[in-house]
Each structure stands twice: as structure tokens, then as C-alpha cells.
Amino acid sequence: MINHAKAAKAFLRNEKRTDWHDQALWFVRQKRDRAVNQLPEWEQLRETASQIKGATLSKLAHHLLEFERQALQNGVYVHWANDAEDFNRCVLKIIRKHNATKVVKSKSMLTEECHLNPFLECEGIEVVDTDLGERIIQFRNEPPSHIVLPAIHLKKEEIGELFHVKLGTEAGASDPTYLTHAACAHLREKFLQAEVAITGVNFAVAETGAVVVCTNEGNADMGVNAAKVQIHCMGIEKVIPRTADLAVFTRMLARSATGQAVTTYTSHYLKPVPGKEMHVIIVDNGRTDILKKPQFLNSLKCIRCGACMNTCPVYRRSGGHSYGSTIPGPIGSILAPGSDLKQYRDLPFASSLCGSCSNVCPVKINIHEQLYSWRQEVSSARLLRTGKSITMSVMAKILSNSSHYQAVGLIARRLLARLPRKMIYNSFNVWGLGRELPEPPASSFNQWYRQNRKNTKL
Amino acid sequence: MKARETILNRIKGIGLASIQLQELELKQTDAGNYLPEFIVSLRNAGAEVVQLAEHENASDFVKENFPGTISFESIESWKKYGSGSTLSMLDKLESVFIEGQIAVAENGAIWVSDRWFPNRIIPFITRRLILKISVNDLVPTMHQAYTRIDWSELSYGVFIAGPSKTADIEQSLVIGAHGPKSLTVLI
Amino acid sequence: MNHFKVTIGLFIPCYIDQFYPQVGIATLELLEKLGLDVGYPLLQTCCGQPMANSGCEKKAVKVYQKFVKNFSSFDYVVSPSGSCVYHVREHYNILEQTEQVKKVRQSTFELCEFLLDILKVDDLQIHFPHKVGIHQSCHGLRGLKIGTGSELVTKKQSKIHSLLAKAEGLEIVELDREDECCGFGGIFSIFHPDVSVKMGKDRVADHERHWAEYITATDMSCLMHLEGIIRRQNRPVKVKHIAEILNTARR
Ligand code: SF4
């Protein structure tokens, strides 16, 4: 079971580094603010985007079938996968069919979710992540800490050291331009050798069968256009009905994600080059379970822009890895409990419920309300941490009885005023670890009122 | 096929109340002058901008200023870099000149499709990309851009906004990732 | 509106009642200065938020019912706590929606909201000659929309700013992060103490960087958390609930 508070504590041990992490992400949030403020119609766009996604989800089977029909007509192979295992096997089958051993992959959170890389590696296939950030964490053998900025938790010196070992860059070199170019030279060779290219999917257009992938580095196109076989992996929620809808989403995605007006490349794959093969794999892996739950189905609207992470004051100060889920941060905290409530029971509580995530979300997912709802689910499933549930039962008892409440309040204030400091500030007093308790006043407001206002209304 | 049916049945089994997809309200845009905005967007995206005068010929300009550039206005280039070409050959491309079809003022994106170059990898594998775009093909936003694309004929198309870039190391922007290190736009 | 005809129920949340009576007093005095008929039900306890935010919404139902019973006879319920007001309005949806419940949910207001939207006060003639930093408490800001969240692309407004705009001698300091959460978050402050305290420290530091003498907010809970950090670290900045500043009003 994930213990977010504990992981966050470890992250916070190096306060300077936490500040650096916080500021790096806040900087992205500020860039996002500037970019969205260039569009006076931003709020209307959010509403529209949310509407499109909502309408699509409400007739998901219809739109998926339409997409499939168009894609088949375009000469694309369409596959369906129930779960991660199904999906991994499906990818492997395609690779095996072509006797391939060298695979390049551009960013895809779905393949992370299904742990495709380790699966393929076990089968003797070389998978190279080609997004720079992804490559860095692949070298380090760790999961991404952010869905758009996978290596945001690392300092350039650490990456310099890593590249020195893995790529033979100069020892001590940490200039981002130098390191980036070194990695790109290394990856260019991989592109030229690759037999199969795998990508994620940002949008799949039902009307035309187009698969749309957005990148800044150009790695999706380098991979796909160099390899003989291209495989695009999408969750069932990636389908959108019309080409016109693409305009709405492409206007919002990059602005929300990095503060760019649009990603450098917005690529539309419809048909394979004659003699090559194009595959699309449509994956469920728990998504239909979310679709079943009315209070949570909006989370399927997510376009994976990462804005909710950048704005989250908790994420910025606890780091992506503290969530222990493929997708971290606010959206991860409402997706993960849907897949395994017990494992991720902590995540809905890893939030102050400030609501900034819901405000920033381009598709208007009510993230903080879902966090609140997931808390109720955790409690209903009797999965609350024991401390929490006992405290709450006691509190509920006290607060539903006025005289008990006043009596307990009085005792607490008296104790606080009279007990020696050592007895108050001990390890059981979690509040007191970093904060003083309030100074107890002589009387409560209630007592004051009884003494100072005559014609009391009861 | 089994997974397909399972997934579709599961979705249908949920029986969500259908929500009507709303028509997109496309603000009527008149023929305004979007050029200044487009130029700002291009520069923000890291592209170099060259404005040619009416009588200037783009191909001549490229020949003069970027010698050695492979132009896909010429049939020879199509032959040379067509289906017979190998990746190692393409990997040697230094500078490439392609005609863009649609340009978007709000973000500097330029639409190119593989009808205008013989191999899909060309705009990515080259070190320098030069795109030509006519002012007549300039639209204000992505909404108008998408209505102009002819989907019936299309097999592959991409909006390109600036040279390839990344900020994956400490958020510091590096121009030139897997795609071209520079993009020049001739208007 | 004729102020003398309506009755106001004063809702003082549990932690204000027990630890910050001066905030309750300031609220009461201010409303009385404005000529309102204010009643304070002595049997009130809490809105039930602590349980609900811990996932124990069901355990809170009795507390909710008690709240409704205590306050259903008033025309308006006013409270110096945006968070509790938000809870009543938003989360009492799990109660059976009787006329009483509906009425209470609709007529419960946070103090600043009430002053501006219902009473439509203009200049309260506040006198508070200090540099003040406004901490936008999240539930008030994004829940009750007492101000415009910095994430949104809509016309900016902030009720606290409006109320303090004409205050004599008061200078509002600009912050680097205009509406970052302070990290209190109710049970979050207990179960995620490290992140919570770090958020609070950063919030205090932002105010100090801009030479604020006071941090004010619509929620005493945020201020309780920030004050706890300030006192632990012996910082010079002080906290003051918005009701206390507003209560310096002459009229
Ligand atoms: S939940 Fe919203 S803000 Fe977060 S990643 Fe998804 S789309 Fe972006």
C-alpha cells in the first residue's frame, strides 16, 4: 500500500531541492497562464472541450466503431485489448510477425500503465524510449515523475553524470544543450535501426480514422516514418467524433501543458505508406469500470496535459514518485483508486482540496470534488487508516451533542493552558511537529456570548 | 476479436444517457490581416521568418541564400529521394525546401502533407527545414485550418510550428531535438 | 433591503468558538453596527466538515441535521468562515432535501459575501493603518467564488479587495503567488503534516518578502495553521481574521 505522507516526508528532507522542484513547476504554471490569457475565449473553449468529451463518452461504443470502420478503410489494422496483459501480447504478436527485435517508442502513458517495456524486454526485444525525458528515466530504470515532463525531478548535474556513464559524454558536463544533442545523436542511430515504432495517441478521430500525436521533439515522426511497422496505442477514451473537434483540443493541449501555443508537431496518421504496416490498438484496461461510476466518469475526459500537476501545491512539494502510481498528481489520485482502491487508498487524501486542479483543467474535470468522493469510497470500503476512522467516530459523537462539545472544548483549552509544554508537544501531537497550537483563550465565544448578550435566542 | 466484443458490450451494458454533441460555434472570421500575429507566433516557436516581396521568387531566394538545399519543387529531387531512397541517404539531408499548405496565425503552425514531398521522414530527418507559405493561405486559428484540409485524399499530414525542441532537462529550452535544428519560413 | 426586518443567525464554527472568540465577537459587533438583528443559537457546534473531509460523510449526518435545526428559523445565516459555509452549501446535498435543508443551504453566507452581495455595503469606513497581505482561502475563493481564481480567464474580482479598497491607511501588498493554498486543508494538516507545514512556510515567506505586517483571510483555519508556523519560527508577521479588520469600521 502506498504511503504518500511518508514518501512526501522523504522528498521534503532536502528542502532546497523541494524549493527548486516547486519553482520549476510553478514556472510552467506561469507559462500556462500567459498562454491561456492570450485567448479571451479560453473559458468557452474549456466548456466546449468538456462537452465534446462528455458527449463522446456517452456514446463511446458508437464512436469507437466509427473510428474502427474508417481506420480499416484506410488500410489500418485495428486491434482491441481488454487489459494490460492482452495489450502487451498484442504488441508482441505484431513485433514477432515481422521478426523484429528493435523497437523505438515515443511517449505513451498507456504503455507505462501496462508496463510494456519490461514485458518486451523479457521477450528479448530492445525497446528504446525516444522522448528525451523518457530516455533519461529509462536509463535510470525508474518511472516518470510527471506525465509531460518525465524527468522534472532530476537536476542537470545528475543527468550529466548519467549520460557520462551511458553515453560517454564528458565527465562533469551538465549543459542542457550539450546533453540534449548528445542524447539526440545516440537516439538517431536507434531511429535508423528500428524495425517497429510505437507511439501513444493524443486523439483518434472517428470521422476520418486519423490518429493524432503531438510532440515537440519530432520523435514520434522520426520513429514512425523510419520504421516498417507503426503501432499506435490508445485508451478507449481517446476517440473524438469530428475533425472540427481537433481544433478545440489542439488549441488547448500545449497551452495547458507547457505554455506553448501549439506543440511543434501535430501529426496526423491515416494510412500507411504502401508496403508498410500501420496498427492501432484500442485498450480498455479498467476504463469501462470508471465509465460505470457516474461520479467518476468525468476523469476519462483527461487529455493528459499535466496542468493539474504543475498547479498542485502538494505535487510540487512531494514529487511525482511519492504517489506510487503511473499517473501522479491530482488526476492520478482520482484514477488510481479506481484501479485498486486498497493499494491507492492514500491518494485521495494527498490533497488539501484547494481546487486549483479543477480550475486549471482544460476539460473541466471536477478533480477536487472527485477526490472528496473517493474519500467517501475509501471509508465505505472500510479502508480508512485506523487513526482516521476512530478519531472521526469520536468527533462525530462529540459534535452532535452541544453539551459534550462545550465540555470537551473547555477541558481542551484548560489542559492546553496548564499542562507543561513537554506533555503537549510530544510525538503524538502531529500538529505540533511543525506548528504551535493556538493559545487557549480564557473563554469560548459561546461563554462570552452568554455573559455579554442578554436577550439570547436559543 | 474477443476483446473487441467484450469491450463494446461492457460499454453498451452501462447504458449511459446519451448527451448530444453540440455544434461548434465557429466565429465568423473575415479576411483580416493576420500576418503580424503569424510572424510573432513563428518567432515564439523559434522559427526564422523571411518576408519576400511580391516579385521575388522563393526558389531563387533559397538557391541564393541556402546553397545545397534540396527543393521538392523539382522533379529530380522527388526521384532521388522517392521510394528507392535509403534511410542512410536521407540521413545526409542537410537542408530541405518544401511548400506549406496552410498557416495558422495564432500559433505559427504550418500544414504540410506527404503529397508535397516524396518520403514522410524528410521534414524530420533534415537538419534545416525551409517552408514556403503564401499569405493567401494564412488563417487566424486552428478552427479555420482544419476546415481547409482535404481529408479524402490525405494519408499523412502534420502541422509544424518551429524547429524541433525539448525542455526535458531542467526546463531549459534546447532548440534542435530529433527533428530539424532550424526552421526558416518564407512568406 | 430593510435591515431591521430580517433575522441573522450567527454561525461560529467550532474552532473559532473554542480558540478564537475574538473573531466571533468582531463578526457579531460588525453586524450589530450595521443595525442587524443577530441571533446566536447557543446549541450550535460544527458544520460537520472534519468528518466529511476524512471520508466519513455518513458519520457527519447527525451534525448536519443539528446545524439545520439550529439555523432554519433565520432569514440568513452568516459566518466568518468560507470553508464551513462552502461545506453547508455544497455537501449538505446528502441530506434529504426538505424545505428546511434547502432554505439553510441557500441562505448561509460567508461574511464578506453577505456584506457585499446581500447588504451591498459600500464604504465601511475601516481604519487599519497597516500593510496587509490577503491570503485567499481556497474554499472561499474557488468554492464560493469570493474572488476569481488565478487559473481562470475571466474578469478579475475579489470581495476582500473590494471591502478593503477604501480602508483608511491600509495598504494591500501584492504577493508572488496570489492564491496559493496555505496547506491547512483540515485533516490534511494532520495526516500529511510535512507537506502541510512546508506549504504554510512558503505562504508565510511570500507575505514576508512583501513586507506584510498582517496576513488576513476569510478563514481562521488557514490563519490558525499559518500562525502556528509563525509562532514556532518566531516570525514577525501577524495574522488577523478579515472580520477583525472589518470591525474597525466606524459605522
Ligand atoms: S486532469 Fe485535466 S489538467 Fe490534469 S492532466 Fe488531465 S486534462 Fe490536464
Side-chain angles (χ1 to χ4, degrees), chain A residues 43-206:
Chain A
E43 297 302 328
Q44 197 197 334
L45 275 175
R46 287 177 74 215
E47 196 53 56
T48 310
S50 185
Q51 210 277 327
I52 295 169
K53 283 282 185 180
T56 312
L57 288 173
S58 81
K59 284 187 244 173
L60 195 54
H62 166 78
H63 294 297
L64 284 171
L65 283 170
E66 176 66 11
F67 171 77
E68 183 191 43
R69 203 169 62 84
Q70 292 296 340
L72 290 173
Q73 241 171 45
N74 291 342
V76 174
Y77 296 87
V78 180
H79 314 260
W80 300 71
N82 249 324
D83 52 24
E85 205 191 313
D86 234 16
F87 166 72
N88 291 343
R89 292 202 179 286
C90 182
V91 176
L92 179 66
K93 213 167 132 196
I94 301 169
I95 297 174
R96 282 277 150 83
K97 179 176 145 197
H98 294 273
N99 286 322
T101 53
K102 290 188 183 334
V103 174
V104 287
K105 181 163 103 11
S106 74
K107 193 141 58 200
S108 149
M109 288 313 293
L110 178 63
T111 59
E112 290 287 339
E113 171 188 323
C114 297
H115 304 289
L116 177 68
N117 285 14
F119 173 82
L120 291 181
E121 279 156 13
C122 278
E123 299 288 338
I125 288 158
E126 181 196 65
V127 197
V128 175
D129 277 315
T130 55
D131 172 85
L132 175 61
E134 293 272 335
R135 187 64 179 149
I136 293 169
I137 57 162
Q138 190 182 29
F139 276 147
R140 286 173 57 96
N141 212 352
E142 65 183 7
S145 70
H146 188 290
I147 60 174
V148 174
L149 318 159
I152 190 71
H153 59 292
L154 296 172
K155 295 226 173 199
K156 56 178 190 271
E157 290 77 17
E158 290 164 305
I159 297 169
E161 244 169 74
L162 179 75
F163 281 9
H164 173 61
V165 175
K166 300 278 179 182
L167 301 176
T169 54
E170 269 171 61
S174 66
D175 173 51
T177 306
Y178 168 73
L179 295 176
T180 300
H181 289 157
C184 288
H186 148 77
L187 285 166
R188 180 151 292 218
E189 275 172 32
K190 299 286 177 193
F191 281 128
L192 298 180
Q193 296 162 0
E195 298 147 302
V196 175
I198 300 178
T199 81
V201 171
N202 290 96
F203 311 101
V205 188

Side-chain angles (χ1 to χ4, degrees), chain A residues 147 302-309 331 357 360-363 365 367:
Chain A
I147 60 174
C302 177
I303 58 170
R304 304 283 190 268
C305 72
C308 56
M309 286 156 217
I331 179 68
C357 46
V360 95
C361 176
V363 286
I365 301 173
I367 306 174

Side-chain angles (χ1 to χ4, degrees), chain A residues 399-427:
Chain A
L399 290 170
S400 39
N401 182 311
S402 312
S403 41
H404 288 176
Y405 156 70
Q406 285 299 338
V408 171
L410 184 68
I411 296 166
R413 273 183 287 119
R414 292 234 168 110
L415 286 178
L416 210 50
R418 291 183 198 159
L419 283 179
R421 190 173 168 86
K422 258 198 285 187
M423 285 191 64
I424 298 172
Y425 291 93
N426 56 38
S427 57

Side-chain angles (χ1 to χ4, degrees), chain C residues 8-65:
Chain C
I8 313 292
L10 180 62
F11 164 43
I12 300 299
C14 48
Y15 66 97
I16 295 186
D17 175 36
Q18 293 300 329
F19 294 114
Y20 298 99
Q22 72 274 21
V23 174
I25 296 169
T27 310
L28 176 65
E29 286 179 353
L30 176 64
L31 294 172
E32 286 174 346
K33 270 185 215 172
L34 293 168
L36 295 159
D37 175 10
V38 188
Y40 170 76
L42 288 164
L43 296 179
Q44 62 179 283
T45 59
C46 169
C47 66
Q49 182 171 198
M51 283 76 77
N53 277 2
S54 312
C56 306
E57 185 171 64
K58 291 193 190 106
K59 288 181 186 159
V61 166
K62 274 205 179 132
V63 183
Y64 292 0
Q65 283 162 344

Side-chain angles (χ1 to χ4, degrees), chain B residues 50-172:
Chain B
V50 179
Q51 277 182 273
L52 296 180
E54 207 107 4
H55 61 272
E56 278 180 291
N57 179 299
S59 305
D60 295 344
F61 181 89
V62 171
K63 257 182 231 148
E64 247 167 64
N65 292 279
F66 303 103
T69 296
I70 306 294
S71 164
F72 288 99
E73 289 192 326
S74 97
I75 310 221
E76 289 86 76
S77 309
W78 274 77
K79 279 194 193 136
K80 188 166 172 205
Y81 294 98
S83 49
S85 60
T86 62
L87 278 178
S88 59
M89 237 177 97
L90 291 160
D91 190 31
K92 295 201 178 70
L93 281 172
E94 282 300 325
S95 181
V96 159
F97 177 53
I98 294 172
E99 195 176 326
Q101 303 305 307
I102 307 161
V104 188
E106 67 170 347
N107 56 23
I110 296 173
W111 175 256
V112 297
S113 81
D114 63 354
R115 282 166 61 199
W116 303 89
F117 44 91
N119 190 312
R120 289 183 186 179
I121 206 168
I122 288 170
F124 304 93
I125 204 165
T126 176
R127 269 66 176 176
R128 170 193 287 281
L129 179 62
I130 305 166
L131 291 174
K132 174 176 98 170
I133 189 79
S134 148
V135 198
N136 299 327
D137 293 323
L138 188 55
V139 295
T141 74
M142 292 303 273
H143 299 296
Q144 293 82 12
Y146 273 112
T147 58
R148 286 210 181 187
I149 297 169
D150 178 10
W151 294 91
S152 60
E153 292 293 313
L154 192 73
S155 53
Y156 171 71
V158 53
F159 280 107
I160 299 180
S164 72
K165 50 184 96 62
T166 180
D168 272 348
I169 301 180
E170 281 201 13
Q171 273 299 292
S172 32

